[in-house]
Amino acid sequence: MSADPVTIARDLLRCPSVTPAEGGALTFLEKTLKAVGFTVHRMTFNEPGTDAVENFYARIGTTAPNLVFAGHTDVVPPGDEKAWKHSPFSAEISGEELYGRGAVDMKGGIACAVAAVLDYLDANAGKPKGSISFLITGDEEGVAVNGTPKLLKWVAEHGEKLDHCILAEPSNQEALGDTIKVGRRGSLNGHLIVTGTQGHVAYPHRADNPIRGLVMLVEALQSEPLDHGSAQFAPSHLEFTSVDVGNKTVNLIPGEARGRFNIRFNDNHTLESLKKLIEQRAKKAAGGKIKFSFHWEPSNAGVFLTQQGPLTELVAKAIAEVTGRKPELSTTGGTSDARFITAYCPVVEFGLVGQTMHQVNERVPLTDLHALTVIYRKIIDRYFAG
Ligand SMILES: [Zn+2]
């Protein structure tokens, strides 16, 4: 098996695995890892109202510690294929860059991890000093219901212990090695519903306009900061994303008004404490004069934070040796599957540069693929030496 990350990345990019399609990507990984002695478990998860999604756990070795590389082989749709310089699933190389949907997010990262592992096994008589695993989902870019959460549950139920995890998401901002993600904010969606009394606009004293109450509560909830940040995170933030009355009649005071909002929150809160805080603040602002209620959308997006320690130091050192950069330990950006993995073992995110992810002409410099492979290879070596 070739330990060349460019070859592996090209094979993966040629699999059209737009969520929830497997597209041949997991089959390719299965074949590649089985050939060097991995035990591969493929499983499909279902849930009413969602697409069935294929997932994959592979392990070589039976002893601890178990170093896990995690990732997703699904990709977002390519958009207008004609706008691409090279067809999004043809994995064309031009100008020393590899083009394709998923090049950085994140088939390229997976290819580097696979190449590093193959190279490590080759240099160590085919056996790791402990165990190496791959935790790969096909449901990251979608609703993430039939992916990593269920995969982790399956792994735990089968007695598998994960010790440390590297999630190969594109963590870097501008250049390979500038950022390790050690945390992500949580995300919560809520609806604020204000009820009044419907009536004729010419007789407002007989009605109670809920829009007035909604505007007051929106202002109250957005104006007071949720916190002032924490050691690792920026302040939490609440933002209203829609206000809806749905009233088509010009002379009618509506009976109900709704607002929808999203909160990105840090480690000062949990999902539950945050809901309580918002409800208390609304109650205070309403002063008993506004009738309101909240509807919270189910959320599986809690905060993830891995404290600085042996894992972050190991990764940072390997990055510095290969790139000469001292990576920033960052907690910015959207959510990722690390929010699920963190419940099982310490996890950090380090992969390629995210600049072109989800864009037309997503691409990765070949030099980045080679450098990331060397970084992962060093991490594996040090991990089992330590
Ligand atoms: Zn991704």
Side-chain angles (χ1 to χ4, degrees):
M1 246 336 132
S2 160
D4 174 28
V6 178
T7 311
I8 299 171
R10 292 187 87 177
D11 285 337
L12 278 174
L13 287 176
R14 286 178 180 144
C15 303
S17 52
V18 175
T19 329
E22 182 270 332
L26 294 180
T27 301
F28 167 76
L29 286 180
E30 178 176 17
K31 205 176 77 195
T32 305
L33 294 175
K34 266 190 176 162
V36 293
F38 273 82
T39 305
V40 177
H41 304 274
R42 277 179 73 171
M43 53 214 105
T44 303
F45 296 124
N46 299 285
E47 191 152 315
T50 63
D51 295 306
V53 179
E54 285 198 61
N55 297 272
F56 166 117
Y57 176 70
R59 176 171 179 162
I60 188 166
T62 51
T63 54
N66 183 9
L67 176 63
V68 185
F69 286 95
H72 61 88
T73 49
D74 61 323
V75 294
V76 295
D80 180 8
E81 297 204 16
K82 283 189 228 89
W84 285 69
K85 208 166 138 193
H86 305 283
S87 163
F89 296 107
S90 62
E92 227 68 61
I93 292 171
S94 87
E96 294 301 298
E97 290 182 303
L98 173 60
Y99 283 73
R101 174 56 83 228
V104 293
D105 186 14
M106 57 172 280
K107 288 173 171 174
I110 292 176
C112 295
V114 171
V117 169
L118 295 187
D119 192 53
Y120 169 83
L121 292 174
D122 200 44
N124 288 275
K127 284 198 178 66
K129 299 232 165 64
S131 302
I132 300 175
S133 298
F134 283 90
L135 190 75
I136 307 287
T137 179
D139 190 21
E140 202 273 342
E141 301 289 10
V143 288
V145 167
N146 291 317
T148 301
K150 288 185 179 162
L151 187 55
L152 286 163
K153 204 165 157 251
W154 184 96
V155 164
E157 281 169 2
H158 287 74
E160 294 284 324
K161 193 176 173 305
L162 316 177
D163 290 294
H164 294 90
C165 179
I166 292 162
L167 179 58
E169 286 281 3
S171 58
N172 300 286
Q173 320 280 318
E174 308 279 337
L176 189 72
D178 66 20
T179 311
I180 304 174
K181 289 232 195 271
V182 296
R184 299 264 193 164
R185 290 174 298 178
S187 174
L188 175 64
N189 287 306
H191 300 254
L192 170 61
I193 302 122
V194 175
T195 41
T197 310
Q198 189 180 309
H200 196 298
V201 280
Y203 305 92
H205 54 285
R206 291 188 198 147
D208 170 19
N209 190 347
I211 296 174
R212 291 166 183 268
L214 182 68
V215 167
M216 270 184 65
L217 294 185
V218 166
E219 171 57 19
L221 291 178
Q222 287 200 146
S223 58
E224 196 179 346
L226 290 166
D227 54 61
H228 299 284
S230 69
Q232 311 275 358
F233 285 93
S236 303
H237 185 78
L238 180 152
E239 194 70 36
F240 272 83
T241 51
S242 186
V243 166
D244 304 284
V245 178
N247 182 11
K248 291 193 176 68
T249 313
V250 291
N251 60 359
L252 182 83
I253 294 172
E256 187 184 276
R258 290 169 168 257
R260 195 185 69 208
F261 56 93
N262 176 268
I263 307 172
R264 293 297 159 121
F265 61 96
N266 60 34
D267 56 343
N268 284 308
H269 311 271
T270 63
L271 284 163
E272 287 318 306
S273 73
L274 190 60
K275 289 178 196 171
K276 243 184 236 150
L277 178 70
I278 298 302
E279 284 164 3
Q280 277 165 3
R281 284 191 178 178
K283 197 172 164 198
K284 196 171 147 220
K289 293 189 188 88
I290 304 167
K291 266 185 275 168
F292 69 92
S293 62
F294 282 97
H295 167 69
W296 299 103
E297 289 182 16
S299 171
N300 55 16
V303 183
F304 123 67
L305 177 65
T306 295
Q307 297 290 352
Q308 211 169 330
L311 180 63
T312 56
E313 275 157 32
L314 179 79
V315 175
K317 214 169 162 196
I319 291 168
E321 280 176 18
V322 178
T323 67
R325 294 189 179 91
K326 187 175 181 292
E328 180 197 342
L329 304 184
S330 161
T331 58
T332 58
T335 62
S336 77
D337 272 358
R339 70 188 191 267
F340 307 120
I341 300 168
T342 189
Y344 294 80
C345 70
V347 51
V348 296
E349 296 179 35
F350 184 72
L352 292 162
V353 181
Q355 265 165 355
T356 61
M357 63 182 182
H358 294 208
Q359 293 182 6
V360 163
N361 292 323
E362 181 175 349
R363 62 194 181 276
V364 58
L366 302 185
T367 51
D368 278 8
L369 289 173
H370 289 294
L372 181 58
T373 304
V374 179
I375 293 169
Y376 285 154
R377 178 72 170 79
K378 278 183 187 282
I379 291 170
I380 299 167
D381 255 338
R382 299 272 165 73
Y383 185 78
F384 292 114

